[in-house]
Amino acid sequence: MARRALKLASWTGAALAASGLYLYGNKYLDPNDFGAVRVGRAVATTAVISYDYLTSLRSVPYGSEEYLQLRSKIHDLFMSFDDTPLGAASLAQVHKAVLRDGRTVAVKVQHPKVQAQSSKDILLMEVLVLAVKQLFPEFEFMWLVDEAKKNLPLELDFLNEGRNAEKVAQMLKHFDFLKVPRIYWELSTKRVLLMEFVDGGQVNDRDYMERNKIDVNEISRHLGKIYSEMIFVNGFVHCDPHPGNVLVRKRPGTGKAEIVLLDHGLYQVLTDEFRLDYCHLWQSLIWTDMEKVKTYSQRLGAGDLYPLFACMLTARSWDSVSRGIGQAPVTATEDAEIRNNAANYLPQISQLLNHVPRQMLLIFKTNDLLRGIEAALGTRASASSFLNMSRCCVRALAAHKKKNTCSFFRRTQISFREAFNLWQINLHELILRVKGLRLASWVLALLCRLLPTS
């Protein structure tokens, strides 16, 4: 864990990835648990899954009478059940199965020792954090423990995960490119979750997308829209978008590209005050209003470290932030500069993470994971993604203003202003596209002149 804590030694991505749940999220990995999972059968109308059958199967001789008896219990519920997991993580693993009625399902089952070990793991984390504090007084990592205590019980409750899945599916139902697997409540418990089986490739798998003729840039734009809507408009944010939890596929029947969002155990609920300040901050960053960048960074707890805070949020150098994060793409030189200077900012990063609102920690983690996906796809920090963010900020701020006024005239005025701002963003995007087409035409014409004719 100490090695993971040192990931704080980055201005941006690595610093963000050090948020509490990222650190303890993989900490429950026990090699002895990987083959042991919990699942069972539905009991009449109670929908209680009661047999730890895979755990039991691991503890009895293969082919013995006891083994066959336990294996038969699986067949009471499933027509078929793949013992080999599709994926295994720190808290649970997922198996593919077919119910008696023919439905193909994904069965997420919690590792048997997680519940019992969780309080011990948090205690161990607290001891280690206090030890680090004694050795390095300038580092403040107690927020790791606070976040673990708050969020771990929610992640261990799979019924809560199911409720989150249904909430986000309803919240983002207007996105026809998003798929959230259906939950089968009658067969789910706190430790076993049955859901619709949806196949696809990982969102960072460019080869898969090329083989299936899925537009990488389109997927990147769609992913940005999904998370901008969550963060700025709804304040309900899926905080674990690592590639294993975000799949892409061609939708059956239509052939359109679709994003499949999995693992809904960890969400951050943003207060209106935080969400609106965050909207203002990103608007200021996108439009290079440095005075407001300072104001809203300080409102979010950054204090005099607001330049570092802005760099952490954008994964850009302060020079790029000052010139405009949408003006130029990230370069290898800029990335190298950030990495090379990271160690110098460890104490400041520690101080900053200890003082920002707790809501910010999981936002940091989410931003970092999304940037990792963008980097893998080669679509990092495009102007289009910033414009989509800006649209969500405009809508969110306008909705808040309309909600807090009783005047019809004032609401109408706000709506016109919102429409005008969105029109400005659309116009700016159109201008960028025209410039891009002109540049492409110019490059093509130049190549035609330079290449020898036959």
Side-chain angles (χ1 to χ4, degrees), residues 366-385:
T366 304
N367 287 347
D368 179 63
L369 290 172
L370 291 173
R371 285 193 196 100
I373 292 171
E374 289 179 343
L377 297 180
T379 60
R380 183 176 168 191
S382 66
S384 178
S385 67

Side-chain angles (χ1 to χ4, degrees), residues 41-160:
R41 54 175 295 184
V43 181
T45 58
T46 62
V48 175
I49 296 178
S50 57
Y51 294 97
D52 300 338
Y53 65 92
L54 279 181
T55 300
S56 302
L57 289 177
R58 299 296 182 185
S59 63
V60 298
Y62 178 83
S64 67
E65 183 178 353
E66 184 181 1
Y67 180 97
L68 295 176
Q69 288 176 350
L70 289 167
R71 199 70 173 85
S72 68
K73 293 174 181 177
I74 303 172
H75 294 295
D76 291 346
L77 178 60
F78 300 108
M79 185 184 301
S80 65
F81 189 98
D82 292 347
D83 288 343
T84 302
L86 296 170
S90 52
L91 300 181
Q93 59 193 51
V94 178
H95 295 255
K96 183 179 180 181
V98 179
L99 297 174
R100 286 291 171 186
D101 60 10
R103 289 177 294 177
T104 302
V105 296
V107 185
K108 182 175 181 177
V109 286
Q110 198 172 109
H111 295 316
K113 296 180 182 179
V114 169
Q115 292 275 358
Q117 285 295 119
S118 60
S119 58
K120 297 177 183 177
D121 289 333
I122 291 176
L123 178 60
L124 175 60
M125 176 188 287
E126 191 165 9
V127 170
L128 291 174
V129 166
L130 291 174
V132 170
K133 176 66 176 174
Q134 292 298 317
L135 293 171
F136 307 101
E138 67 273 23
F139 294 109
E140 293 284 350
F141 292 137
M142 190 52 66
W143 51 270
L144 291 173
V145 180
D146 295 339
E147 288 299 295
K149 288 179 178 177
K150 180 181 73 173
N151 290 298
L152 182 57
L154 298 176
E155 283 201 273
L156 293 177
D157 182 356
F158 287 176
L159 294 180
N160 178 68

Side-chain angles (χ1 to χ4, degrees), residues 72-314:
S72 68
K73 293 174 181 177
I74 303 172
H75 294 295
D76 291 346
L77 178 60
F78 300 108
M79 185 184 301
S80 65
F81 189 98
D82 292 347
D83 288 343
T84 302
L86 296 170
S90 52
L91 300 181
Q93 59 193 51
V94 178
H95 295 255
K96 183 179 180 181
V98 179
L99 297 174
R100 286 291 171 186
D101 60 10
R103 289 177 294 177
T104 302
V105 296
V107 185
K108 182 175 181 177
V109 286
Q110 198 172 109
H111 295 316
K113 296 180 182 179
V114 169
Q115 292 275 358
Q117 285 295 119
S118 60
S119 58
K120 297 177 183 177
D121 289 333
I122 291 176
L123 178 60
L124 175 60
M125 176 188 287
E126 191 165 9
V127 170
L128 291 174
V129 166
L130 291 174
V132 170
K133 176 66 176 174
Q134 292 298 317
L135 293 171
F136 307 101
E138 67 273 23
F139 294 109
E140 293 284 350
F141 292 137
M142 190 52 66
W143 51 270
L144 291 173
V145 180
D146 295 339
E147 288 299 295
K149 288 179 178 177
K150 180 181 73 173
N151 290 298
L152 182 57
L154 298 176
E155 283 201 273
L156 293 177
D157 182 356
F158 287 176
L159 294 180
N160 178 68
E161 177 176 343
R163 289 189 291 270
N164 287 342
E166 290 196 341
K167 180 175 179 177
V168 81
Q170 177 64 24
M171 189 176 76
L172 302 179
K173 63 181 180 181
H174 55 288
F175 288 148
D176 60 0
F177 51 79
L178 174 64
K179 172 69 176 177
V180 177
R182 176 186 172 190
I183 304 298
Y184 297 121
W185 290 107
E186 71 276 12
L187 301 173
S188 297
T189 70
K190 284 189 173 184
R191 305 179 76 168
V192 180
L193 188 66
L194 265 75
M195 67 201 96
E196 175 186 6
F197 178 80
V198 182
D199 204 1
Q202 290 193 1
V203 70
N204 63 342
D205 189 344
R206 287 184 64 101
D207 291 338
Y208 173 87
M209 294 190 207
E210 289 172 2
R211 287 196 307 271
N212 289 274
K213 296 181 172 57
I214 296 174
D215 188 341
V216 171
N217 291 302
E218 181 184 15
I219 290 297
S220 184
R221 286 194 301 271
H222 286 342
L223 192 61
K225 288 178 182 178
I226 290 169
Y227 273 87
S228 292
E229 193 84 7
M230 286 184 188
I231 294 171
F232 299 114
V233 178
N234 296 287
F236 186 68
V237 188
H238 180 280
C239 288
D240 202 12
H242 69 73
N245 289 339
V246 185
L247 306 181
V248 294
R249 66 170 187 168
K250 285 285 188 71
R251 179 187 295 174
T254 67
K256 291 184 177 179
E258 187 174 57
I259 292 175
V260 182
L261 197 58
L262 306 175
D263 197 344
H264 300 271
L266 184 59
Y267 272 76
Q268 178 66 67
V269 179
L270 308 180
T271 64
D272 282 347
E273 180 183 6
F274 176 94
R275 180 174 59 86
L276 295 170
D277 282 343
Y278 197 59
C279 282
H280 280 297
L281 175 57
W282 267 104
Q283 283 283 71
S284 305
L285 287 165
I286 291 168
W287 301 112
T288 325
D289 186 337
M290 302 312 295
E291 192 58 39
K292 287 186 177 179
V293 168
K294 178 180 179 180
T295 298
Y296 287 103
S297 294
Q298 291 178 336
R299 283 176 63 93
L300 289 168
D304 293 335
L305 295 174
Y306 71 90
L308 177 60
F309 184 62
C311 292
M312 291 170 65
L313 282 177
T314 59

Side-chain angles (χ1 to χ4, degrees), residues 241-440:
H242 69 73
N245 289 339
V246 185
L247 306 181
V248 294
R249 66 170 187 168
K250 285 285 188 71
R251 179 187 295 174
T254 67
K256 291 184 177 179
E258 187 174 57
I259 292 175
V260 182
L261 197 58
L262 306 175
D263 197 344
H264 300 271
L266 184 59
Y267 272 76
Q268 178 66 67
V269 179
L270 308 180
T271 64
D272 282 347
E273 180 183 6
F274 176 94
R275 180 174 59 86
L276 295 170
D277 282 343
Y278 197 59
C279 282
H280 280 297
L281 175 57
W282 267 104
Q283 283 283 71
S284 305
L285 287 165
I286 291 168
W287 301 112
T288 325
D289 186 337
M290 302 312 295
E291 192 58 39
K292 287 186 177 179
V293 168
K294 178 180 179 180
T295 298
Y296 287 103
S297 294
Q298 291 178 336
R299 283 176 63 93
L300 289 168
D304 293 335
L305 295 174
Y306 71 90
L308 177 60
F309 184 62
C311 292
M312 291 170 65
L313 282 177
T314 59
R316 303 297 297 270
S317 68
W318 179 245
D319 182 60
S320 293
V321 171
S322 301
R323 288 188 288 109
I325 52 178
Q327 298 302 312
V330 183
T331 64
T333 302
E334 186 177 353
D335 270 341
E337 175 191 344
I338 290 171
R339 288 194 300 271
N340 292 337
N341 288 288
N344 297 330
Y345 291 89
L346 265 175
Q348 291 88 342
I349 290 170
S350 171
Q351 180 185 344
L352 189 58
L353 292 176
N354 195 49
H355 286 91
V356 296
R358 302 298 90 180
Q359 301 166 82
M360 183 61 71
L361 299 177
L362 286 179
I363 295 295
F364 276 159
K365 175 196 173 184
T366 304
N367 287 347
D368 179 63
L369 290 172
L370 291 173
R371 285 193 196 100
I373 292 171
E374 289 179 343
L377 297 180
T379 60
R380 183 176 168 191
S382 66
S384 178
S385 67
F386 290 132
L387 292 174
N388 284 328
M389 290 171 66
S390 190
R391 287 187 183 96
C392 286
C393 291
V394 167
R395 289 169 44 223
L397 294 170
H400 176 73
K401 291 175 183 176
K402 284 186 280 189
K403 180 181 176 182
N404 288 278
T405 182
C406 297
S407 167
F408 174 77
F409 174 76
R410 177 60 180 153
R411 285 199 297 271
T412 304
Q413 189 180 38
I414 293 168
S415 295
F416 275 117
R417 183 65 180 173
E418 175 188 7
F420 178 71
N421 287 337
L422 292 174
W423 176 82
Q424 282 185 309
I425 294 172
N426 292 338
L427 179 61
H428 183 66
E429 186 171 38
L430 178 62
I431 291 171
L432 290 177
R433 286 181 179 177
V434 170
K435 286 182 177 179
L437 289 173
R438 286 180 177 174
L439 178 61

